[in-house]
Amino acid sequence: MKIVVAYKWASNPQDATVGAQGTVDWSRAKPGFSEYDPVAAELARRLADATGGEVIGLTVGTKRVDATLARKAALSRGFDRAVIVADDSLEGAGSTQLAAVLAAAVRHIGDVDLVITGDSSVDVGSKMVPTVLAGQLGWPAVAEVISITGQAGALRVERAVPTGTQVLEITGPVVLAASTDAAVARVPGMKDILAAGKKPVESLDLAALDIPAAAGTTTVTGTSRPDLLTRKGQMIDASDPAAAAAELVAALRGAGAL
Amino acid sequence: MTEAAEPDFDVIVIGAGIAGAITAYQLATQGRSVVLIERGEAPGAKNLSGGVLYCRGMQEVFPDFLTEAPVERRITRNYINFLNADSSIGIDYKDTRLSDPVNAVTVLRAKLDPWLAEKCEEAGVFLMPGVRVDKVLTEDGPTGKRVVGVKAGDDELRAHVVVAADGVNSFISQEVGLRTKEPLNHLAIGVKCVVNLPRETIEARFSVTGDEGAAFAIVGDCTQGIGGGGFMYTNTESISVGVVLRLDDLTAKNKSTTDILDYFLAHPFIAPYLEGGEVVEYGCHLVAEGGLAMLGEISMDGLVVVGDAAGLTLNTGLTVRGMDLAVASGVAAAKGIGAALDSKDTSKVGLAGYREALFASYAGKDMETYAKAPAFLETERMYKEYGELIGNVLYGVFNLDNSPREHLLKVAMKAFKKSPVKIKHLIKDGLAGVRAL
Ligand SMILES: Cc1cc2nc3c(=O)[nH]c(=O)nc-3n(C[C@H](O)[C@H](O)[C@H](O)COP(=O)(O)OP(=O)(O)OC[C@H]3O[C@@H](n4cnc5c(N)ncnc54)[C@H](O)[C@@H]3O)c2cc1C
């Protein structure tokens, strides 16, 4: 079985700051293996070990995703090899464009049975990439996946739905987005990182990929902070507890909360 | 000396701070196989420093350091400030000679450390971030315990030599018994923040231009009388500002570091420099202050200790120096380790070249020069009474309140009589200061 894990080398919002206008300053944010992607890598490794398959890490982004540090961080997560599309023209690329490039890379790799992604990226978090990628490939997509078993062409996938869980049988290739807690990912050890330094990496030229032209373009023209809830700031004197409780109940009734 | 298993690397360096990175870089350029292990997800992620780097040593390692590395500003203005609650006395030392050749620059570790790590990788070092070394592996050798590798999680790596570059309070060197837990008076705590301000604002407020910068050393009310001092350094578009507080004094006086930093930042003589700025980084870190007394054994069979881990920090009262000493120890260690590897003797005896090279360098010499500084800086009066005394003398001179003027000496004697500082203190501290600094 040939499994591709689409991962993102993403800026960690922990060090990003939001300006008064709602603009986000990412300049201090450090890039890393996106928060939920280790879960995808773990599911892939387990499935490959159970079926004797191969796991290929795939990422798309600016040049920084191809730095030695980024390569090793990814390859220490249990991939057998990596395929990387790094091109600075992808700076600020949206989910649709990234998914289109990912799809082209998946086609380039060829004979892929399954693509697994994380739940969402830590920097953008649109949750769109897996579905757009599936759409580009003409494959089905399943999100909130909690377990994957079976064989290529006969996968048994369990996913979380609001009412509980669902079990799916999938016959063809598919894109699966792992739920954030589908597995506890192992932390790469020294031997994993050493081995990562020796694993093969294929860098693909963006221009040489077969990416269908988009029908239109999307441009961000403005951003704003979410509206802050305005609070009433009403204080209740609690020196007489019984009276305070009555006043609180009355105030909540008045506001329609009770 | 025979070693059991075939090692994975010639050298394992623990900690990708300045000392570790320089050691690893120098060894890789000698053609050794080196792994540099860092617990932070990326080098620099965990490091904090006030940020004036005396850069000559660094330039010996990287001749193009000033143009290539992420340096912020070249320090041409040094300002020494005695701060009292309601007065401030300063010595403003500007010197164009300080910029040609450049002697000190401000750096931000969040940028410098990744740059150093990149240089290491280019030189062939295997960088291993996100790994915390849990312990060193030892074996019993003919001359006692010998370090043969490291362990992290379930994994072990072996090398001919392990370098402990794990910073102040190095638990690696404590674990192997090279150091004991530091006494409190060898340690200080530094609290620092980085405040963003536009370039032009910084240049106007600190009266510097271009890539020139200012370094303020502040004693007195900035630490509310606790042994230590404050600093304020200009970066390109931010200011590094903070206090370094002696741990024993802080504990004895039962004060909190954040309260002291807040008080300092809001001080009427400091706040105007920072006004309108935005705090973008905040952190605290231990600083080694023991001086030469803290520098103990720095090598044993199969292991050397460099940088802060070796106690290589100098607090001269006006400057905290650690980064340049980290560089010097890295260079010296790489020299000693190289010789040991060549002679196939990586025992303590074989590694003796490190200590020799260190003491022959500016770092070792300066550690000897300032050997008495820590004790001198423990003098209480430094942090309180002296600043007030000078303040009162100057007040007497400049406060023209229509009373007849008196000669400076008289004013001084009056202020002196009111001050708890006695002549014998002045003489004693003066002499001690001259000898120590
Ligand atoms: C507030 C403050 C202000 C200062 N101001 C100045 C100044 O203006 N000028 C100056 O020259 N010096 C200054 N210093 C001192 C200077 O920061 C240090 O001397 C210098 O950082 C020492 O470098 P180092 O490489 O030895 O240690 P560090 O920079 O502390 O690096 C140690 C590294 O080891 C890593 N590490 C630790 N344990 C492990 C482990 N078990 N496994 C893996 N990795 C590990 C750490 O994450 C870290 O990256 C200041 C210090 C402070 C706290």
Side-chain angles (χ1 to χ4, degrees):
Chain A
M1 177 151 37
K2 208 166 179 181
I3 308 168
V4 166
V5 173
Y7 70 91
K8 191 168 189 182
W9 188 248
S11 293
N12 190 334
Q14 200 182 319
D15 300 307
T17 47
V18 182
Q21 252 55 58
T23 48
V24 182
D25 175 9
W26 287 97
S27 61
R28 292 179 163 267
K30 290 170 198 74
F33 199 73
S34 184
E35 187 159 356
Y36 303 122
D37 293 351
V39 178
E42 183 70 35
L43 288 182
R45 188 70 260 163
R46 288 184 195 172
L47 183 63
D49 289 347
T51 59
E54 182 193 24
V55 184
I56 305 159
L58 168 64
T59 195
V60 166
T62 55
K63 280 274 174 236
R64 71 175 189 177
V65 310
D66 201 17
T68 322
L69 185 80
R71 284 180 172 204
K72 277 196 302 206
L75 283 162
S76 62
R77 302 266 172 193
F79 302 149
D80 297 304
R81 61 187 176 99
V83 174
I84 296 178
V85 186
D87 194 302
D88 282 342
S89 69
L90 292 169
E91 175 79 52
S95 313
T96 315
Q97 195 189 349
L98 289 179
V101 181
L102 284 170
V106 170
R107 281 193 294 268
H108 170 92
I109 294 168
D111 300 327
V112 174
D113 296 296
L114 168 64
V115 176
I116 309 180
T117 73
D119 171 75
S120 56
S121 61
V122 69
D123 54 348
V124 179
S126 72
K127 292 201 178 193
M128 276 176 54
V129 170
T131 37
V132 181
L133 168 61
Q136 286 272 356
L137 293 168
W139 298 359
V142 180
E144 295 291 341
V145 168
I146 46 183
S147 90
I148 314 166
T149 50
Q151 295 293 330
L155 288 173
R156 186 177 174 282
V157 171
E158 208 176 325
R159 74 162 158 190
V161 289
T163 47
T165 56
Q166 227 178 33
V167 180
L168 310 167
E169 290 270 341
I170 300 167
T171 52
V174 61
V175 178
L176 302 176
S179 82
T180 55
D181 52 4
V184 178
R186 57 200 110 174
V187 178
M190 293 193 292
K191 298 282 185 202
D192 298 320
I193 303 174
L194 275 189
K198 301 193 182 89
K199 288 180 182 172
V201 179
E202 185 185 358
S203 292
L204 300 184
D205 182 5
L206 179 64
L209 284 177
D210 173 24
I211 305 165
T217 55
T218 315
T219 318
V220 180
T221 55
T223 49
S224 62
R225 283 170 172 272
D227 289 334
L228 289 179
L229 296 175
T230 40
R231 296 180 192 279
K232 282 192 174 162
Q234 189 178 341
M235 304 269 269
I236 295 172
D237 180 4
S239 50
D240 177 353
E247 202 185 325
L248 176 63
V249 170
L252 289 172
R253 283 234 165 82
L258 286 182
Chain B
M1 170 146 296
T2 54
E3 286 162 35
E6 182 56 24
D8 302 282
F9 288 91
D10 288 333
V11 183
I12 295 170
V13 181
I14 307 168
I18 291 180
I22 295 293
T23 312
Y25 177 82
Q26 293 286 80
L27 284 164
T29 49
Q30 287 175 17
R32 318 286 174 185
S33 68
V34 188
V35 61
L36 177 57
I37 305 178
E38 167 58 44
R39 66 180 168 180
E41 281 304 326
K46 293 208 178 271
N47 294 334
L48 177 91
S49 133
V52 172
L53 166 68
Y54 298 89
C55 54
R56 298 285 182 77
M58 199 63 113
Q59 284 169 280
E60 279 167 25
V61 180
F62 303 106
D64 297 327
F65 182 75
L66 289 174
T67 49
E68 239 191 81
V71 301
E72 299 286 316
R73 287 174 183 274
R74 304 164 181 218
I75 300 302
T76 52
R77 181 177 180 217
N78 285 280
Y79 192 91
I80 303 161
N81 192 192
F82 287 89
L83 201 59
N84 302 315
D86 41 26
S87 67
S88 153
I89 304 113
I91 300 169
D92 194 356
Y93 170 58
K94 265 186 120 162
D95 198 327
T96 48
R97 284 176 301 180
L98 288 179
S99 65
D100 187 25
V102 175
N103 161 66
V105 293
T106 41
V107 292
L108 290 168
R109 294 291 296 278
K111 294 185 192 165
L112 180 66
D113 288 15
W115 181 84
L116 285 172
E118 220 180 282
K119 287 279 143 196
C120 285
E121 285 202 304
E122 281 169 22
V125 173
F126 192 102
L127 183 65
M128 203 180 265
V131 173
R132 184 182 180 284
V133 170
D134 296 321
K135 62 188 290 250
V136 293
L137 303 172
T138 55
E139 277 170 10
D140 287 325
T143 44
K145 206 159 65 170
R146 174 186 171 81
V147 175
V148 294
V150 300
K151 185 164 184 177
D154 296 330
D155 289 348
E156 295 182 355
L157 283 187
R158 289 175 163 259
H160 293 292
V161 182
V162 172
V163 179
D166 54 337
V168 65
N169 236 0
S170 158
F171 97 95
I172 301 288
S173 47
Q174 284 170 20
E175 184 201 334
V176 295
L178 278 185
R179 309 183 75 86
T180 50
K181 213 155 176 55
E182 293 310 330
L184 283 191
N185 70 343
H186 280 185
L187 293 174
I189 186 147
V191 220
K192 175 205 169 183
C193 59
V194 176
V195 179
N196 264 7
L197 276 172
R199 229 194 141 106
E200 311 78 57
T201 311
I202 293 174
E203 285 161 17
R205 286 184 190 169
F206 288 86
S207 69
V208 289
T209 51
D211 60 0
E212 288 175 1
F216 279 42
I218 304 143
V219 289
D221 195 44
C222 57
T223 54
Q224 298 179 13
I226 294 191
F231 60 85
M232 192 157 56
Y233 304 139
T234 56
N235 304 314
T236 312
E237 290 188 302
S238 63
I239 301 190
S240 296
V241 54
V243 287
V244 175
L245 305 163
R246 245 177 49 218
L247 213 50
D248 54 342
D249 213 15
L250 189 71
T251 329
K253 291 182 178 141
N254 199 15
K255 294 231 166 133
S256 102
T257 48
T258 41
D259 287 352
I260 293 176
L261 182 67
D262 288 346
Y263 177 85
F264 177 49
L265 296 181
H267 197 287
F269 291 93
I270 299 298
Y273 289 103
L274 307 172
E275 203 193 313
E278 190 196 346
V279 177
V280 289
E281 218 180 277
Y282 180 95
C284 63
H285 197 273
L286 285 174
V287 190
E289 295 234 298
L292 196 60
M294 219 176 135
L295 181 77
E297 284 294 336
I298 53 174
S299 62
M300 63 184 282
D301 292 355
L303 178 122
V304 303
V305 194
V306 293
D308 269 14
L312 280 162
T313 323
L314 266 178
N315 184 353
T316 66
L318 300 178
T319 55
V320 180
R321 289 176 48 189
M323 292 190 277
D324 61 322
L325 305 180
V327 172
S329 68
V331 171
K335 214 182 222 173
I337 294 169
L341 289 171
D342 284 342
S343 66
K344 300 209 176 341
D345 177 8
T346 51
S347 69
K348 183 175 170 152
V349 176
L351 289 164
Y354 166 36
R355 203 183 176 91
E356 278 161 34
L358 181 65
F359 277 90
S361 73
Y362 59 90
K365 295 243 178 335
D366 288 359
M367 291 296 280
E368 281 171 338
T369 308
Y370 289 110
K372 292 201 180 95
F376 171 66
L377 294 173
E378 278 173 34
T379 320
E380 284 279 313
R381 293 177 286 275
M382 282 280 300
Y383 306 103
K384 195 155 187 298
E385 282 91 0
Y386 282 155
E388 287 172 3
L389 175 61
I390 309 172
N392 289 339
V393 171
L394 292 173
Y395 182 70
V397 175
F398 288 102
N399 177 35
L400 302 182
D401 58 358
N402 286 349
S403 62
R405 295 290 83 197
E406 289 175 311
H407 281 298
L408 182 59
L409 184 64
K410 245 190 179 166
V411 178
M413 287 315 289
K414 261 193 191 164
F416 199 53
K417 270 190 193 133
K418 272 200 243 149
S419 162
V421 178
K422 297 285 161 268
I423 294 274
K424 64 168 197 260
H425 294 144
L426 261 192
I427 296 173
K428 181 168 163 252
D429 295 346
L431 279 178
V434 169
R435 284 195 195 115
L437 307 179

